[in-house]
Amino acid sequence: MVYFPGDLTGEFVDKLTAVVKSLGFERLDVNIFNRHKHFYSKGNLGLYFPIQKKQTTFPDLLYSTDCDHNDSRVTLLASGRWRAFSRDTPSYIEGKWLYHKPYLTLVYADTRGEFQQVYEAQQHQVMTLQGPKKATTYQVLGHKSYPLALFNCNLQIIFAE
């Protein structure tokens, strides 16, 4: 909270702190206004709530499956970029990714233009050498005829737990 000097009482701050905590915030930071960033007049104050980023449980490593070519390993970077590696190519390809639960979108651009593929998350179990394990498959929602072979595959993660 930012306020005009001399406007607040301890009782008001205590009540406002209780309200802020009831909204799920840890504390109320109280500061006298700074002319460089805020211009409050007597009797006015500013109450700012920071954006609380919700953590989405989302794997950062997926493997292509149901492909007509060698499988790829896809790494989703925190920067919003993805990189795919496969055994049959010496380097990697990369693009952008977006996630709006339960949809994952991969975007790739090259000299042919920009392509994007949307996948829908499906929770299930798969049988492994260690028995049944939880898995999430991101199933292709679009067509499977992209010039980028990876976009013609589903993506999967198996949780070892």
Side-chain angles (χ1 to χ4, degrees):
M1 175 178 61
V2 180
Y3 68 96
F4 190 82
D7 275 356
L8 296 184
T9 65
E11 181 182 351
F12 178 81
V13 171
D14 290 343
K15 286 180 182 178
L16 190 55
T17 299
V19 169
V20 168
K21 285 185 176 183
S22 74
L23 293 173
F25 293 91
E26 292 179 22
R27 67 183 188 281
L28 173 67
D29 293 325
V30 180
N31 297 299
I32 296 176
F33 85 101
N34 174 335
R35 282 198 181 272
H36 298 287
K37 295 183 182 177
H38 306 281
F39 295 93
Y40 292 103
S41 59
K42 188 165 180 53
N44 293 299
L45 59 90
L47 189 57
Y48 298 91
F49 292 97
I51 295 173
Q52 292 191 347
K53 295 183 180 179
K54 291 183 178 182
Q55 291 288 62
T56 302
T57 303
F58 190 75
D60 59 359
L61 184 61
L62 300 164
Y63 292 90
S64 62
T65 183
D66 301 325
C67 295
D68 292 336
H69 68 286
N70 286 338
D71 290 341
S72 299
R73 182 182 76 207
V74 180
T75 305
L76 301 175
L77 307 170
S79 65
R81 306 282 303 165
W82 61 266
R83 288 189 182 147
F85 301 86
S86 72
R87 288 177 285 179
D88 57 350
T89 58
S91 61
Y92 61 87
I93 58 171
E94 68 179 346
K96 297 183 291 188
W97 67 271
L98 302 162
Y99 183 68
H100 299 288
K101 191 175 181 176
Y103 303 104
L104 169 66
T105 303
L106 297 184
V107 180
Y108 175 75
D110 67 8
T111 56
R112 297 170 286 190
E114 184 175 277
F115 308 98
Q116 70 177 14
Q117 183 62 282
V118 179
Y119 304 83
E120 182 176 16
Q122 297 177 352
Q123 311 290 321
H124 57 99
Q125 283 195 341
V126 295
M127 187 56 73
T128 70
L129 295 174
Q130 292 78 35
K133 299 291 180 187
K134 290 181 184 177
T136 300
T137 296
Y138 294 88
Q139 185 139 4
V140 168
L141 287 182
H143 57 82
K144 286 190 168 189
S145 59
Y146 280 104
L148 179 63
L150 173 67
F151 280 16
N152 302 319
C153 305
N154 293 330
L155 302 174
Q156 187 175 74
I157 184 73
I158 298 172
F159 298 95
E161 296 178 351

Coordinates of all heavy atoms in Angstrom, one line a residue, residues 40-127:
Y40 N 0.0 10.9 -4.9 CA -1.3 10.8 -4.1 C -1.4 12.1 -3.3 O -0.5 12.7 -2.8 CB -1.2 9.6 -3.1 CG -1.2 8.3 -3.9 CD1 -0.1 7.6 -4.0 CD2 -2.4 7.8 -4.4 CE1 -0.1 6.4 -4.7 CE2 -2.4 6.6 -5.1 CZ -1.3 5.9 -5.2 OH -1.3 4.8 -5.9
S41 N -2.7 12.6 -3.2 CA -2.9 13.7 -2.4 C -3.5 13.3 -1.1 O -3.8 12.1 -0.9 CB -3.9 14.6 -3.2 OG -5.1 13.9 -3.4
K42 N -3.6 14.2 -0.2 CA -4.1 13.9 1.2 C -5.4 13.2 1.1 O -6.3 13.6 0.3 CB -4.2 15.2 2.0 CG -4.5 15.0 3.4 CD -4.3 16.3 4.2 CE -4.6 16.1 5.7 NZ -3.9 15.0 6.3
G43 N -5.6 12.1 1.9 CA -6.8 11.4 1.9 C -6.9 10.3 0.9 O -7.9 9.5 0.9
N44 N -5.9 10.1 0.1 CA -5.9 9.1 -1.0 C -4.7 8.1 -0.7 O -3.7 8.5 -0.2 CB -5.7 9.6 -2.4 CG -6.9 10.5 -2.8 OD1 -8.0 9.9 -2.8 ND2 -6.7 11.8 -3.0
L45 N -5.0 6.9 -1.1 CA -3.9 5.9 -1.0 C -4.1 4.9 -2.2 O -5.1 4.8 -2.8 CB -4.0 5.1 0.3 CG -5.3 4.3 0.7 CD1 -5.2 2.9 0.2 CD2 -5.4 4.3 2.2
G46 N -3.0 4.1 -2.4 CA -3.0 3.1 -3.5 C -2.7 1.8 -2.9 O -1.8 1.6 -2.1
L47 N -3.6 0.8 -3.2 CA -3.4 -0.5 -2.8 C -3.2 -1.4 -4.0 O -4.0 -1.5 -4.9 CB -4.7 -1.0 -2.0 CG -4.7 -2.3 -1.3 CD1 -3.6 -2.3 -0.2 CD2 -6.0 -2.6 -0.6
Y48 N -2.0 -2.0 -4.0 CA -1.6 -2.8 -5.2 C -1.4 -4.3 -4.8 O -0.8 -4.6 -3.7 CB -0.2 -2.3 -5.7 CG -0.2 -0.9 -6.2 CD1 0.0 0.2 -5.3 CD2 -0.6 -0.6 -7.5 CE1 0.0 1.5 -5.7 CE2 -0.6 0.7 -7.9 CZ -0.3 1.8 -7.0 OH -0.4 3.1 -7.5
F49 N -2.0 -5.1 -5.6 CA -1.9 -6.6 -5.4 C -1.0 -7.1 -6.5 O -1.3 -7.0 -7.6 CB -3.3 -7.2 -5.4 CG -4.1 -6.8 -4.3 CD1 -5.1 -5.8 -4.4 CD2 -4.0 -7.5 -3.1 CE1 -5.9 -5.5 -3.3 CE2 -4.8 -7.1 -2.0 CZ -5.7 -6.1 -2.1
P50 N 0.1 -7.8 -6.0 CA 1.0 -8.4 -7.1 C 0.3 -9.6 -7.7 O -0.5 -10.2 -7.1 CB 2.2 -8.8 -6.2 CG 1.7 -9.0 -4.9 CD 0.6 -8.0 -4.7
I51 N 0.7 -9.9 -8.9 CA 0.2 -11.0 -9.6 C 0.8 -12.2 -9.0 O 2.0 -12.3 -8.8 CB 0.6 -11.0 -11.1 CG1 -0.1 -9.8 -11.8 CG2 0.2 -12.3 -11.8 CD1 0.4 -9.6 -13.2
Q52 N 0.0 -13.2 -8.6 CA 0.4 -14.4 -8.0 C 0.4 -15.4 -9.1 O -0.6 -15.8 -9.6 CB -0.4 -14.8 -6.8 CG -0.3 -13.9 -5.6 CD -0.9 -14.5 -4.4 OE1 -1.6 -15.5 -4.5 NE2 -0.6 -13.9 -3.3
K53 N 1.6 -15.9 -9.5 CA 1.7 -16.9 -10.6 C 1.3 -18.2 -10.0 O 1.9 -18.7 -9.1 CB 3.1 -16.9 -11.1 CG 3.5 -15.6 -11.8 CD 4.8 -15.7 -12.4 CE 5.1 -14.3 -13.1 NZ 6.4 -14.3 -13.7
K54 N 0.4 -18.8 -10.6 CA 0.0 -20.2 -10.3 C 0.9 -21.1 -11.0 O 1.2 -21.0 -12.1 CB -1.4 -20.5 -10.7 CG -2.5 -19.7 -9.9 CD -3.9 -20.1 -10.3 CE -4.9 -19.3 -9.4 NZ -6.2 -19.7 -9.8
Q55 N 1.4 -22.1 -10.2 CA 2.3 -23.1 -10.8 C 1.4 -24.1 -11.5 O 0.5 -24.7 -10.9 CB 3.1 -23.8 -9.7 CG 4.2 -22.8 -9.1 CD 5.3 -22.5 -10.1 OE1 5.1 -22.0 -11.2 NE2 6.5 -22.9 -9.7
T56 N 1.7 -24.4 -12.7 CA 1.0 -25.4 -13.4 C 1.9 -26.6 -13.5 O 3.1 -26.4 -14.0 CB 0.6 -25.0 -14.9 OG1 -0.2 -23.8 -14.7 CG2 -0.1 -26.0 -15.6
T57 N 1.5 -27.7 -13.1 CA 2.3 -28.9 -13.2 C 2.3 -29.3 -14.6 O 1.3 -29.7 -15.2 CB 1.8 -30.1 -12.3 OG1 1.7 -29.6 -11.0 CG2 2.7 -31.3 -12.4
F58 N 3.5 -29.2 -15.2 CA 3.6 -29.4 -16.6 C 5.0 -30.0 -16.9 O 6.0 -29.4 -16.4 CB 3.4 -28.1 -17.4 CG 3.3 -28.3 -18.9 CD1 2.1 -28.8 -19.4 CD2 4.3 -28.0 -19.7 CE1 2.0 -29.0 -20.8 CE2 4.2 -28.1 -21.1 CZ 3.1 -28.6 -21.6
P59 N 5.1 -31.1 -17.6 CA 6.4 -31.6 -17.9 C 7.3 -30.7 -18.8 O 6.7 -30.0 -19.6 CB 6.1 -33.0 -18.5 CG 4.8 -32.7 -19.2 CD 4.0 -31.8 -18.3
D60 N 8.6 -30.8 -18.6 CA 9.4 -30.0 -19.5 C 10.2 -30.9 -20.5 O 10.9 -30.4 -21.3 CB 10.5 -29.2 -18.7 CG 11.3 -30.0 -17.8 OD1 11.2 -31.2 -17.7 OD2 12.2 -29.4 -17.1
L61 N 9.9 -32.2 -20.4 CA 10.5 -33.1 -21.4 C 9.4 -34.1 -21.9 O 8.8 -34.8 -21.1 CB 11.6 -33.9 -20.7 CG 12.4 -34.9 -21.6 CD1 13.1 -34.1 -22.7 CD2 13.4 -35.6 -20.7
L62 N 9.2 -34.1 -23.2 CA 8.2 -35.0 -23.8 C 8.9 -35.8 -24.9 O 9.9 -35.4 -25.4 CB 7.1 -34.2 -24.4 CG 6.3 -33.3 -23.5 CD1 5.5 -32.3 -24.3 CD2 5.4 -34.1 -22.6
Y63 N 8.3 -36.9 -25.2 CA 8.8 -37.8 -26.3 C 7.7 -38.0 -27.3 O 6.6 -38.2 -27.0 CB 9.3 -39.1 -25.7 CG 10.5 -39.0 -24.8 CD1 10.4 -38.8 -23.5 CD2 11.8 -39.0 -25.4 CE1 11.5 -38.6 -22.7 CE2 12.9 -38.9 -24.6 CZ 12.7 -38.7 -23.2 OH 13.9 -38.5 -22.5
S64 N 8.1 -37.9 -28.6 CA 7.2 -38.1 -29.7 C 6.8 -39.6 -29.7 O 7.6 -40.5 -29.3 CB 7.7 -37.7 -31.0 OG 8.9 -38.4 -31.3
T65 N 5.6 -39.9 -30.1 CA 5.1 -41.3 -30.2 C 4.1 -41.3 -31.3 O 3.6 -40.3 -31.8 CB 4.5 -41.7 -28.8 OG1 4.1 -43.1 -28.9 CG2 3.3 -40.8 -28.4
D66 N 3.8 -42.5 -31.8 CA 2.9 -42.7 -33.0 C 3.4 -42.0 -34.2 O 2.7 -41.3 -34.9 CB 1.5 -42.3 -32.6 CG 0.9 -43.0 -31.5 OD1 1.2 -44.2 -31.3 OD2 0.1 -42.4 -30.7
C67 N 4.7 -42.1 -34.4 CA 5.4 -41.4 -35.5 C 5.7 -42.3 -36.7 O 5.9 -43.5 -36.5 CB 6.7 -40.7 -35.1 SG 6.5 -39.5 -33.8
D68 N 5.8 -41.7 -37.9 CA 6.3 -42.5 -39.1 C 7.8 -42.3 -39.2 O 8.4 -42.8 -40.2 CB 5.6 -41.9 -40.3 CG 4.1 -42.3 -40.3 OD1 3.7 -43.2 -39.7 OD2 3.4 -41.5 -41.0
H69 N 8.5 -41.7 -38.3 CA 9.9 -41.5 -38.3 C 10.5 -41.8 -37.0 O 9.8 -42.2 -36.0 CB 10.2 -40.1 -38.8 CG 9.9 -39.1 -37.7 ND1 8.5 -38.7 -37.5 CD2 10.6 -38.4 -36.9 CE1 8.5 -37.8 -36.5 NE2 9.7 -37.6 -36.1
N70 N 11.8 -41.6 -36.8 CA 12.4 -41.8 -35.5 C 11.8 -40.9 -34.5 O 11.6 -39.7 -34.8 CB 14.0 -41.6 -35.6 CG 14.7 -42.8 -36.3 OD1 14.1 -43.9 -36.4 ND2 15.8 -42.5 -36.8
D71 N 11.7 -41.4 -33.3 CA 11.1 -40.6 -32.2 C 12.0 -39.4 -31.9 O 13.2 -39.5 -32.0 CB 10.8 -41.4 -31.0 CG 9.7 -42.4 -31.2 OD1 8.9 -42.2 -32.1 OD2 9.6 -43.3 -30.4
S72 N 11.4 -38.3 -31.4 CA 12.2 -37.2 -30.9 C 12.0 -36.9 -29.5 O 11.0 -37.3 -28.9 CB 11.7 -35.9 -31.7 OG 11.9 -36.1 -33.1
R73 N 12.9 -36.2 -28.9 CA 12.8 -35.7 -27.5 C 12.5 -34.2 -27.6 O 13.3 -33.5 -28.2 CB 14.1 -36.0 -26.8 CG 14.1 -35.6 -25.3 CD 15.4 -35.9 -24.7 NE 16.3 -34.8 -25.1 CZ 17.7 -35.0 -25.2 NH1 18.2 -36.1 -24.9 NH2 18.4 -34.0 -25.6
V74 N 11.5 -33.8 -26.9 CA 11.1 -32.4 -27.0 C 11.3 -31.8 -25.6 O 10.7 -32.2 -24.6 CB 9.6 -32.2 -27.5 CG1 9.3 -30.7 -27.5 CG2 9.4 -32.8 -28.8
T75 N 12.1 -30.7 -25.5 CA 12.3 -30.0 -24.3 C 11.6 -28.7 -24.3 O 11.7 -27.9 -25.2 CB 13.8 -29.8 -24.0 OG1 14.5 -31.0 -24.1 CG2 14.0 -29.1 -22.7
L76 N 10.7 -28.5 -23.3 CA 9.9 -27.2 -23.2 C 10.7 -26.3 -22.2 O 10.8 -26.6 -21.0 CB 8.5 -27.5 -22.7 CG 7.7 -28.4 -23.6 CD1 6.4 -28.7 -23.0 CD2 7.5 -27.8 -25.0
L77 N 11.2 -25.2 -22.7 CA 12.0 -24.3 -21.9 C 11.1 -23.3 -21.2 O 10.1 -22.9 -21.8 CB 13.1 -23.6 -22.8 CG 14.0 -24.5 -23.6 CD1 14.8 -23.7 -24.6 CD2 14.9 -25.4 -22.7
A78 N 11.5 -22.8 -20.0 CA 10.7 -21.9 -19.3 C 10.6 -20.6 -20.0 O 9.6 -19.8 -19.8 CB 11.4 -21.6 -17.9
S79 N 11.4 -20.3 -21.0 CA 11.3 -19.1 -21.8 C 10.2 -19.1 -22.8 O 10.0 -18.1 -23.5 CB 12.7 -18.9 -22.5 OG 12.8 -19.9 -23.5
G80 N 9.5 -20.2 -22.9 CA 8.4 -20.3 -23.9 C 8.9 -20.8 -25.2 O 8.2 -20.8 -26.2
R81 N 10.1 -21.3 -25.3 CA 10.7 -21.9 -26.5 C 10.7 -23.4 -26.3 O 10.8 -23.9 -25.2 CB 12.1 -21.4 -26.7 CG 12.3 -19.9 -26.8 CD 11.9 -19.3 -28.1 NE 12.6 -19.8 -29.2 CZ 12.3 -19.6 -30.5 NH1 11.2 -18.9 -30.7 NH2 13.0 -20.1 -31.4
W82 N 10.7 -24.2 -27.4 CA 10.9 -25.6 -27.3 C 12.1 -26.0 -28.2 O 12.4 -25.3 -29.2 CB 9.6 -26.4 -27.7 CG 9.1 -26.2 -29.1 CD1 8.2 -25.2 -29.4 CD2 9.5 -26.8 -30.3 NE1 7.9 -25.3 -30.8 CE2 8.7 -26.3 -31.3 CE3 10.4 -27.8 -30.6 CZ2 8.9 -26.7 -32.6 CZ3 10.5 -28.2 -31.9 CH2 9.8 -27.7 -32.9
R83 N 12.7 -27.2 -27.9 CA 13.8 -27.7 -28.7 C 13.5 -29.2 -28.9 O 13.2 -29.9 -27.9 CB 15.1 -27.5 -28.1 CG 15.6 -26.1 -28.2 CD 17.0 -26.0 -27.7 NE 17.4 -24.6 -27.7 CZ 18.3 -24.1 -26.9 NH1 18.8 -24.8 -26.0 NH2 18.6 -22.8 -27.0
A84 N 13.7 -29.7 -30.1 CA 13.5 -31.1 -30.4 C 14.8 -31.7 -30.9 O 15.4 -31.1 -31.8 CB 12.3 -31.3 -31.4
F85 N 15.1 -32.9 -30.4 CA 16.3 -33.6 -30.8 C 15.8 -35.0 -31.3 O 14.9 -35.6 -30.7 CB 17.3 -33.8 -29.6 CG 17.7 -32.6 -29.0 CD1 17.0 -31.9 -28.0 CD2 18.9 -32.0 -29.4 CE1 17.4 -30.8 -27.4 CE2 19.4 -30.8 -28.8 CZ 18.6 -30.2 -27.8
S86 N 16.5 -35.5 -32.3 CA 16.2 -36.9 -32.7 C 17.5 -37.6 -33.0 O 18.5 -36.9 -33.3 CB 15.2 -37.0 -33.8 OG 15.8 -36.6 -35.0
R87 N 17.5 -38.9 -33.1 CA 18.7 -39.7 -33.3 C 19.2 -39.5 -34.8 O 20.3 -39.7 -35.0 CB 18.4 -41.2 -33.1 CG 18.3 -41.5 -31.6 CD 18.0 -42.9 -31.4 NE 16.6 -43.1 -31.8 CZ 16.0 -44.2 -31.8 NH1 16.6 -45.3 -31.5 NH2 14.7 -44.3 -32.1
D88 N 18.3 -39.2 -35.7 CA 18.7 -39.1 -37.1 C 19.1 -37.7 -37.6 O 19.4 -37.5 -38.7 CB 17.6 -39.6 -38.0 CG 16.2 -38.9 -37.8 OD1 16.1 -38.1 -36.9 OD2 15.3 -39.1 -38.6
T89 N 19.1 -36.7 -36.7 CA 19.6 -35.4 -37.1 C 20.7 -34.9 -36.1 O 20.6 -35.1 -34.9 CB 18.5 -34.3 -37.1 OG1 17.9 -34.3 -35.8 CG2 17.5 -34.7 -38.2
P90 N 21.8 -34.4 -36.6 CA 22.9 -34.0 -35.7 C 22.6 -32.7 -34.9 O 23.2 -32.5 -33.8 CB 24.0 -33.6 -36.7 CG 23.3 -33.3 -38.0 CD 22.1 -34.1 -38.0
S91 N 21.6 -31.9 -35.3 CA 21.3 -30.7 -34.5 C 19.9 -30.8 -34.1 O 19.2 -31.8 -34.2 CB 21.6 -29.4 -35.3 OG 20.8 -29.4 -36.5
Y92 N 19.4 -29.7 -33.5 CA 18.0 -29.6 -33.0 C 17.2 -28.6 -33.8 O 17.8 -27.8 -34.5 CB 18.0 -29.3 -31.5 CG 18.6 -28.0 -31.2 CD1 17.8 -26.8 -31.2 CD2 19.9 -27.8 -30.8 CE1 18.3 -25.6 -30.9 CE2 20.4 -26.6 -30.5 CZ 19.6 -25.5 -30.5 OH 20.1 -24.3 -30.2
I93 N 15.9 -28.7 -33.7 CA 15.0 -27.7 -34.2 C 14.3 -27.1 -33.1 O 14.2 -27.7 -32.0 CB 14.0 -28.3 -35.2 CG1 13.1 -29.4 -34.6 CG2 14.6 -28.8 -36.5 CD1 12.0 -29.9 -35.4
E94 N 13.8 -25.9 -33.2 CA 13.2 -25.2 -32.1 C 12.1 -24.3 -32.6 O 12.0 -23.9 -33.8 CB 14.2 -24.4 -31.3 CG 14.8 -23.2 -32.0 CD 15.8 -22.5 -31.1 OE1 15.8 -22.7 -29.8 OE2 16.6 -21.7 -31.6
G95 N 11.2 -23.9 -31.6 CA 10.1 -23.0 -31.9 C 9.6 -22.4 -30.6 O 10.3 -22.5 -29.6
K96 N 8.4 -22.0 -30.6 CA 7.7 -21.4 -29.4 C 6.6 -22.4 -29.0 O 6.1 -23.2 -29.8 CB 7.0 -20.1 -29.8 CG 8.0 -19.0 -30.2 CD 7.2 -17.7 -30.4 CE 6.4 -17.8 -31.7 NZ 5.8 -16.5 -32.1
W97 N 6.3 -22.4 -27.7 CA 5.2 -23.2 -27.2 C 4.3 -22.4 -26.3 O 4.7 -21.4 -25.7 CB 5.7 -24.4 -26.5 CG 6.4 -24.2 -25.2 CD1 7.8 -24.0 -25.0 CD2 5.9 -24.2 -23.8 NE1 8.1 -23.8 -23.7 CE2 7.0 -23.9 -23.0 CE3 4.6 -24.3 -23.3 CZ2 6.8 -23.8 -21.6 CZ3 4.4 -24.2 -22.0 CH2 5.5 -24.0 -21.1
L98 N 3.0 -22.8 -26.2 CA 2.0 -22.1 -25.3 C 1.2 -23.3 -24.7 O 1.0 -24.3 -25.3 CB 1.0 -21.3 -26.1 CG 1.6 -20.2 -27.0 CD1 0.6 -19.7 -28.0 CD2 2.0 -19.0 -26.1
Y99 N 0.8 -23.1 -23.5 CA 0.0 -24.1 -22.8 C -1.2 -23.4 -22.1 O -1.0 -22.5 -21.3 CB 0.8 -24.8 -21.7 CG 0.1 -25.9 -21.0 CD1 -0.3 -27.1 -21.7 CD2 -0.3 -25.8 -19.7 CE1 -1.0 -28.1 -21.1 CE2 -1.0 -26.8 -19.1 CZ -1.4 -27.9 -19.8 OH -2.1 -29.0 -19.2
H100 N -2.4 -23.8 -22.5 CA -3.6 -23.4 -21.9 C -4.4 -24.7 -21.6 O -4.9 -25.3 -22.5 CB -4.5 -22.5 -22.8 CG -3.8 -21.2 -23.2 ND1 -3.6 -20.2 -22.3 CD2 -3.2 -20.8 -24.3 CE1 -2.9 -19.2 -22.9 NE2 -2.7 -19.6 -24.1
K101 N -4.3 -25.1 -20.4 CA -4.8 -26.4 -20.0 C -6.1 -26.8 -20.6 O -7.0 -25.9 -20.5 CB -4.9 -26.5 -18.4 CG -5.1 -27.8 -17.9 CD -5.1 -27.8 -16.4 CE -5.3 -29.2 -15.8 NZ -5.2 -29.2 -14.4
P102 N -6.3 -27.9 -21.2 CA -5.4 -29.0 -21.4 C -4.7 -29.0 -22.8 O -4.2 -30.0 -23.3 CB -6.3 -30.2 -21.4 CG -7.5 -29.7 -22.0 CD -7.6 -28.2 -21.6
Y103 N -4.5 -27.8 -23.4 CA -4.0 -27.7 -24.8 C -2.6 -27.2 -24.8 O -2.3 -26.2 -24.3 CB -4.9 -26.8 -25.6 CG -6.3 -27.3 -25.7 CD1 -7.3 -26.6 -24.9 CD2 -6.7 -28.4 -26.4 CE1 -8.6 -27.1 -24.9 CE2 -8.0 -28.9 -26.4 CZ -9.0 -28.2 -25.7 OH -10.3 -28.6 -25.7
L104 N -1.7 -27.9 -25.5 CA -0.4 -27.5 -25.8 C -0.3 -27.2 -27.2 O -0.7 -27.9 -28.1 CB 0.6 -28.7 -25.5 CG 2.0 -28.5 -25.9 CD1 2.7 -27.4 -25.1 CD2 2.8 -29.8 -25.7
T105 N 0.3 -26.0 -27.5 CA 0.5 -25.6 -28.9 C 2.0 -25.4 -29.2 O 2.7 -24.7 -28.4 CB -0.2 -24.2 -29.2 OG1 -1.6 -24.4 -28.9 CG2 -0.1 -23.8 -30.7
L106 N 2.5 -26.0 -30.2 CA 3.9 -25.9 -30.7 C 3.8 -25.0 -31.9 O 3.0 -25.3 -32.8 CB 4.6 -27.2 -30.9 CG 4.7 -28.1 -29.7 CD1 5.5 -29.4 -30.2 CD2 5.4 -27.5 -28.6
V107 N 4.7 -24.0 -32.0 CA 4.8 -23.2 -33.2 C 6.2 -23.3 -33.7 O 7.2 -23.3 -33.0 CB 4.5 -21.7 -32.8 CG1 4.6 -20.8 -34.1 CG2 3.1 -21.6 -32.2
Y108 N 6.3 -23.4 -35.1 CA 7.6 -23.6 -35.7 C 7.6 -22.7 -37.0 O 6.6 -22.7 -37.7 CB 7.9 -25.0 -36.1 CG 9.1 -25.3 -36.9 CD1 10.4 -25.2 -36.3 CD2 9.1 -25.5 -38.2 CE1 11.5 -25.4 -37.0 CE2 10.2 -25.7 -39.0 CZ 11.5 -25.7 -38.3 OH 12.6 -25.9 -39.1
A109 N 8.7 -22.0 -37.3 CA 8.8 -21.2 -38.5 C 10.1 -21.5 -39.2 O 11.2 -21.7 -38.5 CB 8.7 -19.7 -38.1
D110 N 10.0 -21.6 -40.5 CA 11.2 -21.7 -41.3 C 11.0 -21.0 -42.6 O 10.0 -20.2 -42.8 CB 11.6 -23.2 -41.5 CG 10.6 -24.0 -42.3 OD1 9.7 -23.5 -42.9 OD2 10.8 -25.3 -42.4
T111 N 11.8 -21.3 -43.7 CA 11.6 -20.6 -44.9 C 10.3 -20.9 -45.6 O 9.9 -20.2 -46.5 CB 12.8 -21.0 -45.9 OG1 12.8 -22.5 -46.0 CG2 14.1 -20.6 -45.3
R112 N 9.6 -22.0 -45.3 CA 8.3 -22.4 -45.8 C 7.2 -21.6 -45.2 O 6.0 -21.6 -45.7 CB 8.1 -23.9 -45.7 CG 9.1 -24.7 -46.5 CD 8.9 -26.1 -46.1 NE 9.5 -26.3 -44.8 CZ 9.7 -27.5 -44.2 NH1 9.4 -28.6 -44.9 NH2 10.2 -27.6 -43.0
G113 N 7.4 -20.9 -44.0 CA 6.4 -20.2 -43.3 C 6.3 -20.7 -41.9 O 7.2 -21.4 -41.4
E114 N 5.2 -20.3 -41.2 CA 5.0 -20.7 -39.8 C 3.9 -21.8 -39.8 O 2.9 -21.8 -40.4 CB 4.5 -19.5 -39.0 CG 4.4 -19.8 -37.6 CD 4.0 -18.5 -36.7 OE1 5.0 -17.8 -36.4 OE2 2.8 -18.3 -36.5
F115 N 4.2 -22.8 -38.9 CA 3.3 -23.9 -38.7 C 3.0 -24.0 -37.2 O 3.9 -23.7 -36.4 CB 4.0 -25.3 -39.1 CG 4.5 -25.2 -40.5 CD1 5.9 -25.0 -40.8 CD2 3.7 -25.4 -41.6 CE1 6.4 -25.0 -42.0 CE2 4.2 -25.4 -42.9 CZ 5.6 -25.2 -43.1
Q116 N 1.9 -24.5 -36.9 CA 1.6 -24.7 -35.5 C 0.7 -26.0 -35.4 O -0.1 -26.3 -36.3 CB 0.9 -23.5 -34.8 CG -0.5 -23.2 -35.2 CD -1.1 -22.1 -34.4 OE1 -0.4 -21.4 -33.8 NE2 -2.4 -21.9 -34.5
Q117 N 1.0 -26.7 -34.3 CA 0.2 -27.9 -34.1 C -0.4 -27.8 -32.6 O 0.4 -27.4 -31.7 CB 1.1 -29.2 -34.2 CG 0.4 -30.5 -34.0 CD -0.7 -30.7 -35.0 OE1 -1.8 -30.2 -34.9 NE2 -0.5 -31.5 -36.0
V118 N -1.6 -28.2 -32.5 CA -2.2 -28.2 -31.2 C -2.4 -29.6 -30.7 O -2.8 -30.5 -31.5 CB -3.6 -27.4 -31.2 CG1 -4.3 -27.4 -29.8 CG2 -3.4 -26.0 -31.7
Y119 N -2.2 -29.8 -29.4 CA -2.3 -31.1 -28.8 C -3.2 -31.0 -27.6 O -3.2 -30.0 -26.9 CB -0.9 -31.6 -28.3 CG 0.2 -31.7 -29.4 CD1 0.9 -30.5 -29.7 CD2 0.5 -32.8 -30.0 CE1 1.9 -30.5 -30.6 CE2 1.5 -32.9 -31.0 CZ 2.2 -31.7 -31.3 OH 3.2 -31.8 -32.2
E120 N -3.9 -32.1 -27.3 CA -4.8 -32.1 -26.1 C -4.3 -33.2 -25.2 O -4.0 -34.3 -25.6 CB -6.3 -32.4 -26.5 CG -7.2 -32.4 -25.3 CD -8.6 -32.6 -25.7 OE1 -8.9 -33.1 -26.8 OE2 -9.5 -32.3 -24.9
A121 N -4.2 -32.8 -23.9 CA -3.6 -33.7 -22.9 C -4.7 -34.7 -22.5 O -5.8 -34.4 -22.3 CB -3.2 -32.9 -21.6
Q122 N -4.2 -36.0 -22.4 CA -5.1 -37.1 -22.0 C -4.3 -37.9 -21.0 O -3.2 -38.3 -21.2 CB -5.5 -38.0 -23.2 CG -6.3 -37.2 -24.2 CD -6.6 -38.0 -25.4 OE1 -6.2 -39.2 -25.6 NE2 -7.5 -37.5 -26.3
Q123 N -4.9 -38.0 -19.8 CA -4.3 -38.8 -18.7 C -4.6 -40.2 -18.8 O -5.8 -40.6 -19.1 CB -4.8 -38.3 -17.3 CG -4.7 -36.8 -17.2 CD -3.3 -36.2 -17.0 OE1 -2.5 -36.8 -16.4 NE2 -3.1 -35.1 -17.6
H124 N -3.7 -41.1 -18.6 CA -3.9 -42.6 -18.7 C -2.8 -43.3 -18.1 O -1.9 -42.7 -17.5 CB -4.1 -43.0 -20.2 CG -2.9 -42.6 -21.0 ND1 -2.0 -43.6 -21.4 CD2 -2.6 -41.5 -21.6 CE1 -1.1 -43.0 -22.2 NE2 -1.4 -41.7 -22.3
Q125 N -2.8 -44.6 -18.1 CA -1.7 -45.5 -17.7 C -1.1 -46.2 -18.8 O -1.8 -46.6 -19.8 CB -2.2 -46.4 -16.6 CG -2.4 -45.8 -15.2 CD -2.5 -46.9 -14.1 OE1 -2.8 -48.0 -14.4 NE2 -2.3 -46.4 -12.9
V126 N 0.2 -46.5 -18.7 CA 0.9 -47.3 -19.7 C 1.6 -48.4 -19.0 O 2.0 -48.3 -17.8 CB 1.9 -46.5 -20.6 CG1 1.1 -45.5 -21.4 CG2 2.9 -45.8 -19.7
M127 N 1.8 -49.5 -19.6 CA 2.5 -50.7 -19.0 C 4.0 -50.5 -19.4 O 4.4 -50.3 -20.5 CB 2.0 -52.0 -19.6 CG 2.6 -53.2 -18.9 SD 2.3 -53.2 -17.1 CE 0.6 -53.6 -17.0

